[in-house]
Amino acid sequence: MKRKVTKAIFPVAGLGTRFLPATKSIPKEIMTLVDRPLIQYAIDEARAAGIKEFIFVTSRGKGALEDYFDNAPVLEQELRKKGKTDLLRTLKDTNMESGAIAYIRQHKALGLGHAVWCARRLIANEPFAVIMTDDVIASEKPCLMQMIEAHEETGGCMVAAMEVPKDKASAYGVLDIKEDKGAIVSVKGMVEKPDEGTAPSNLAVIGRYILTPKILQNLSKLKSGAGGEIQLTDAIALELEEGRDVFGYRFSGQRFDCGSKAGFLQATVAFGLGRPELGEELRAYLHNMLSLSEAAE
Ligand code: G1P
């Protein structure tokens, strides 16, 4: 019988330099879209997909993440005293069952592949998911759930995939397509951050992965790849070289690149518009602002 995917790795060791000075003292993953930190979106998606064990690969200065998922007895007591049951309910989403969450340190910034490899002992011999908190995906059915359902049929390794403009492909891992079956794409090669004009397609890897434990062995064999880092893409490509299956999955939903300022702002607006208590006011404000700027042109 196939093992269910119940473990997920969240690589959260990055310095978040693109968001300095904010990230001087707060982890990038605590930055909020409306009122929920990026990490909360990732955790909600993982929970909805049936993940039970959450493994954070952290680094120095990420202590706020541990506090975020801890109970906050003083705050909770205060809210209870004031009868603020709705806020208490909101806080509940941030609590993790004891033992469900683990923090592992990546001691050197050697790349995404190395970060995943740091969690090898906790993964042991099970398939696992990787969720990148920078990629926030708004969708009716959570992206990882879509992928887990598809993966139950395909097996092998699976990466979320999305078409990107040709001139942007060199910012991603890019798939070399063997057979395009619509949502599921069977893959014959993968390149991390291809030089401009050399990408095998414009189907890019987005930060959701379902991987077999073999990937961890592959990672321990790898030398540094693109950007001088140990790349997860290269460990997955090794599976193809050894004749095992890798699939891309064209998820349905809208992906926001919250690793960039423009993407982060777009996500803030989109999630704000989607909130019943904020949407109307924000829409009117944006409308007004845009017509004023059009009139000024
Ligand atoms: C990482 C992966 C890359 C993938 C991207 C998706 O790159 O290495 O293959 O396409 O995430 O967001 P990063 O954005 O961390 O440089």
Side-chain angles (χ1 to χ4, degrees):
M1 208 182 77
K2 246 189 260 166
R3 292 286 296 257
K4 264 195 162 15
V5 182
T6 58
K7 294 182 178 178
I9 298 177
F10 301 81
V12 290
L15 292 175
T17 47
R18 273 193 267 180
F19 285 93
L20 280 170
T23 45
K24 184 181 171 204
S25 65
I26 54 161
K28 171 175 72 167
E29 299 76 18
I30 293 285
M31 288 182 35
T32 56
L33 296 176
V34 189
D35 49 13
R36 297 164 84 75
L38 290 180
I39 192 69
Q40 184 75 55
Y41 289 89
I43 289 287
D44 288 350
E45 185 179 328
R47 275 183 175 144
I51 298 299
K52 304 278 183 250
E53 288 179 56
F54 305 81
I55 302 162
F56 287 71
V57 182
T58 69
S59 59
R60 189 175 290 275
K62 298 279 179 166
L65 276 171
E66 294 193 34
D67 291 342
Y68 179 78
F69 288 111
D70 205 347
N71 286 6
V74 177
L75 176 61
E76 283 166 28
Q77 200 183 356
E78 203 56 31
L79 293 175
R80 212 165 292 121
K81 228 169 38 196
K82 293 188 172 141
K84 306 230 173 206
T85 43
D86 49 339
L87 289 180
L88 277 167
R89 220 172 300 125
T90 303
L91 275 189
K92 249 198 150 64
D93 287 348
T94 68
N95 293 152
M96 292 297 225
E97 199 194 325
S98 294
I101 192 160
Y103 301 91
I104 298 263
R105 279 234 179 157
Q106 183 187 25
H107 295 106
K108 283 187 187 159
L110 296 179
L112 174 62
H114 178 260
V116 167
W117 177 79
C118 288
R120 65 201 176 283
R121 293 206 170 81
L122 291 176
I123 297 296
N125 202 26
E126 290 182 39
F128 61 100
V130 177
I131 298 190
M132 312 270 281
T133 50
D134 275 355
D135 284 325
V136 175
I137 300 172
S139 55
E140 224 164 273
K141 187 187 273 190
C143 179
L144 189 64
M145 190 196 265
Q146 297 174 37
M147 287 174 68
I148 284 183
E149 285 175 11
H151 183 259
E152 271 162 19
E153 308 202 343
T154 61
C157 286
M158 182 174 271
V159 300
M162 184 181 102
E163 259 83 22
V164 296
K166 258 207 164 91
D167 62 331
K168 296 273 188 305
S170 52
Y172 295 90
V174 180
L175 302 180
D176 193 355
I177 299 170
K178 179 160 86 183
E179 196 187 349
D180 198 331
K181 304 173 193 161
I184 297 173
V185 175
S186 117
V187 170
K188 62 175 180 215
M190 282 174 86
V191 198
E192 181 66 18
K193 311 228 164 60
D195 290 336
E196 215 159 310
T198 67
S201 76
N202 65 338
L203 196 56
V205 176
I206 300 302
R208 303 287 183 277
Y209 305 77
I210 299 176
L211 302 173
T212 62
K214 182 74 183 20
I215 291 296
L216 300 165
Q217 292 170 31
N218 295 358
L219 283 168
S220 55
K221 287 189 234 157
L222 279 183
K223 297 214 170 66
S224 48
E229 298 187 334
I230 308 278
Q231 296 292 352
L232 187 55
T233 299
D234 295 345
I236 304 171
L238 214 55
E239 287 295 278
L240 291 165
E241 279 168 33
E242 292 176 3
R244 282 179 290 275
D245 287 338
V246 175
F247 301 92
Y249 183 79
R250 282 196 186 92
F251 54 93
S252 47
Q254 190 178 1
R255 173 252 184 179
F256 296 96
D257 174 11
C258 290
S260 78
K261 286 177 201 168
F264 194 91
L265 286 173
Q266 287 158 18
T268 301
V269 172
F271 282 95
L273 288 173
R275 285 290 185 86
E277 76 282 16
L278 292 173
E280 208 176 311
E281 193 180 336
L282 183 58
R283 187 165 290 107
Y285 172 75
L286 290 172
H287 184 74
N288 205 9
M289 209 167 104
L290 291 176
S291 27
L292 282 178
S293 76
E294 270 165 31
E297 271 167 20

